[in-house]
Amino acid sequence: MATAASAPRVAVGQGASMCARARSRGRRVRWIRARGIDFTDAGCFELAYAPVGESLIPSGPWKTIEGGVCAARGFKVAGYKAGLRAKGTRADCALIVADDDATCAGIFTTNVMCAAPVTFCKKQLAGKTTARALLINAGQANAATGDAGAADARETSKALSEALGVAEEDILLMSTGVIGKRIKMDKFLPGIPILAANVENSTAAAMAAATAICTTDLVRKTAAIEVDIGGVAVRVGGMAKGSGMIHPNMATMLGCVTCDASVAPDVWRTITSRAGAASFNQISVDGDTSTNDSLVTFASGKAGNATITDVNSPEGKLLEQALTAMCRGLAKAIAWDGEGATCLIECNVSGATDDEDARVIARSVICSSLAKAAIFGHDPNWGRLACAAGYAAPVKNRFDQKDLKLTLGPIQLMDKGQPLDFDAVAASRYLKETTGVHGTVVVDISVGNGPGKGQAWGCDLSYDYVKINAEYTT
Amino acid sequence: MATAASAPRVAVGQGASMCARARSRGRRVRWIRARGIDFTDAGCFELAYAPVGESLIPSGPWKTIEGGVCAARGFKVAGYKAGLRAKGTRADCALIVADDDATCAGIFTTNVMCAAPVTFCKKQLAGKTTARALLINAGQANAATGDAGAADARETSKALSEALGVAEEDILLMSTGVIGKRIKMDKFLPGIPILAANVENSTAAAMAAATAICTTDLVRKTAAIEVDIGGVAVRVGGMAKGSGMIHPNMATMLGCVTCDASVAPDVWRTITSRAGAASFNQISVDGDTSTNDSLVTFASGKAGNATITDVNSPEGKLLEQALTAMCRGLAKAIAWDGEGATCLIECNVSGATDDEDARVIARSVICSSLAKAAIFGHDPNWGRLACAAGYAAPVKNRFDQKDLKLTLGPIQLMDKGQPLDFDAVAASRYLKETTGVHGTVVVDISVGNGPGKGQAWGCDLSYDYVKINAEYTT
């Protein structure tokens, strides 16, 4: 890889705690501070790494490890402050470079108003199955920017191609920030060779990159796991960002997963698609499907395993499980960090006709503004949960309300469609205690005897959500 | 009609200003008070009748008149306080009685968890095309109440049948309030003969009924119009309630329209269905489709016009226009009075493939939490409007973002998919001035050259929405 020798050497963790200085989000911030959680050099809450990323990864035949997107062998990254944000001193761009061609898959927003980088990536990945680099900027989403925005994406790609010495068709782009604003190219372009010159494979670099891509996020989302596949230790690392405008449809806000498995391109695309459907597509903060949702997954092949060519082989299934676990951990971290949230809400639906039906019902519950506000207010208003399950549509097979069973945390509220006498004080206490530690409020719903199961994750609706979005300056 | 002679005579406007005493909803209440608007005997804001109901009715070949649901000839109504609400002194039940069999149509929620009165009404209207009485209670929604709730509905109907001396199959029911709670039958049943004994055809009675059915509504929604059909003055009156859990799907929260036209049952059902689709189905406050949404329309035939038997005749079309105007006025009043709202948001979409596509896009825009919060904050963040138009689905024909044209009030923001330079200060001023008088923020969107047009109405998202729903006690 070519590096710009004249570029100034910068700390990979450059950028600072804009999170803390520029914002105050009430209870959540106070909760974080009360626990004495400090900021890393990388400029965001230390909290980000441990409980938000790793702790939300479902358990399975893997262990969590350090390193974020750098945990997987074959990748180098950097974060840098080019000066794209309206204010603050935090880094605003990140670069991930694969040492060699990496198998690559991507899923993107279904929004008609998709951003220029989304159109760019879809075109790139339509032509080939590998990629070398992913460049991400925060500050401006480069969405609804017309022809000028498309030209900016091409110019960015050209600049990175020259800085890295890789072909333009090997480059992918993501943007996040204000819609309708062009990227500040006068500041971004000079930053690109600096980023390219400073990539490295280290935990610090991975943390810096994960911090640089945040916007209204209070914590960064990053994690890594290691799984034994056929006697070979395969590593999966990931990072994501997102806090508002979260209601992904076929992708997430911004997510990037690195893996060092050797895997056939068609297998990798299939399991990426399935993992995205079971994770990022099952979260919502505010029901708004972004213009920029993008998930890109790389597999470098550096782990040394025998190439996985069958998605249904034991190795293929295990890789899919591991990728799904990573995506779920990141997706849940986004919902946990939903704008203004005081908790993560997890809805588990069982007994549906099939998994898709169960997922639709689960999504409907975690999207309900009324249920979300009730949980924020520690009000066990279970009628709103039942109501949201009931209007879920389009479900292939509508359930019968006589089959509904509903449990909030440890407390059963409804069975066979009949409301139960329950201890409302205890139910309220469960909500108060769970939100008090920014924990997970669990809603279990059974809608019948079918085999379908599904999960979805959201967050509560607080005053701070309104405050953040009423005051987010265009 | 039989009346219970021994029942105590009560003022039709019984119940008082629970609105004012028990609640404080910040800016909106202050705005109402600052204008010296007083309360009527009926117990709600005087404001309710004039600007919220009538002023939101689209203009057309009709004039607004007094009388609400009593404006149409052939109907008597009453409101009464039976003591169903958790607190406050407001009336909580209303009765509408047709002097003779009235042609009747109803549309109801698509929610699987539909309330007992919804199931009851659907069964009643499946069997016949006329009805005599509609009884409405506030306080408990009788939804998610299982077999006991269904039994309560039947017992209510039986009691009303006896009090009025009409057959049980001629009775319709609606409920609104907390989900999962049974109606306080010990208080409701004694109130039924009192209601039956006190119905009358008067403006005061219509206002009392419209007030009695409110829950978190700050104002009642009622209006009446008169239209000349074939030389005969036909009157249409209506009332509705709704403020939260408003995202109707095939119906509204609670709406009742009376009309004195003579019209064939199939024609009446057809135009009721169309009017509902163009009005109540095009509003949203919070995206939550209620368990109780119900619209019932009566046509008494007392106007003396020649019976309308063809929906496509000039008379049929005019009656449909008048009914649609009434439904739109009531639906807009619900969105105007959305929980915590400081304005009504109207989105007009044109250039779509067909009307249904245009309606879907318009609904998507007025449902966006981010756009709603931005408008509350006087932030002309038009990217959120474009984004919400873009994720509208399922639209038969996705539009091309190059065709998007977007205008906020008088200010054009985007043309041919390209952002325009616009005066952000003036745009913010437009939002500030409009919300300052609880006015209508207008968003005009063109998505191409197709013939499809559609409108939708919503409201902004404020701190008070969260406050109301976090503190609404189960």
Side-chain angles (χ1 to χ4, degrees), chain B residues 282-306:
Chain B
Q282 289 299 109
I283 61 169
S284 184
V285 168
D286 47 19
D288 279 282
T289 302
S290 161
T291 47
N292 289 56
D293 293 342
S294 303
L295 169 67
V296 168
T297 62
F298 295 96
S300 70
K302 302 282 186 186
N305 63 305

Side-chain angles (χ1 to χ4, degrees), chain B residues 296-322:
Chain B
V296 168
T297 62
F298 295 96
S300 70
K302 302 282 186 186
N305 63 305
T307 301
I308 298 166
T309 56
D310 179 3
V311 73
N312 292 315
S313 64
E315 294 77 18
K317 285 180 178 172
L318 189 51
L319 184 63
E320 179 174 346
Q321 281 177 46

Side-chain angles (χ1 to χ4, degrees), chain B residues 10 63 92 114 160 240 256 272 384 428 447 460:
Chain B
V10 295
K63 61 175 183 183
D92 47 31
C114 67
L160 184 60
C256 173
T272 293
R384 294 179 181 174
S428 181
V447 297
D460 57 336

Side-chain angles (χ1 to χ4, degrees), chain B residues 432-446:
Chain B
K432 194 170 181 180
E433 288 174 358
T434 308
T435 56
V437 297
H438 206 124
T440 303
V441 169
V442 178
V443 178
D444 291 315
I445 294 178
S446 172

Side-chain angles (χ1 to χ4, degrees), chain B residues 384-429:
Chain B
R384 294 179 181 174
L385 302 170
C387 174
Y391 64 66
V395 182
K396 280 180 232 80
N397 290 281
R398 288 162 65 90
F399 64 91
D400 188 323
Q401 60 173 296
K402 288 197 168 124
D403 292 329
L404 195 74
K405 185 174 166 180
L406 207 153
T407 303
L408 178 67
I411 300 160
Q412 195 175 344
L413 305 173
M414 194 172 203
D415 194 23
K416 294 175 186 162
Q418 311 290 329
L420 303 175
D421 275 331
F422 70 97
D423 184 343
V425 174
S428 181
R429 195 186 314 123

Side-chain angles (χ1 to χ4, degrees), chain A residues 110 288 368 379 390-391 398 472, chain B residues 110 288 368 379 391 398 472:
Chain A
T110 55
D288 279 282
S368 163
D379 179 3
Y391 64 67
R398 289 162 65 89
Y472 187 77
Chain B
T110 55
D288 279 282
S368 163
D379 179 5
Y391 64 66
R398 288 162 65 90
Y472 187 78

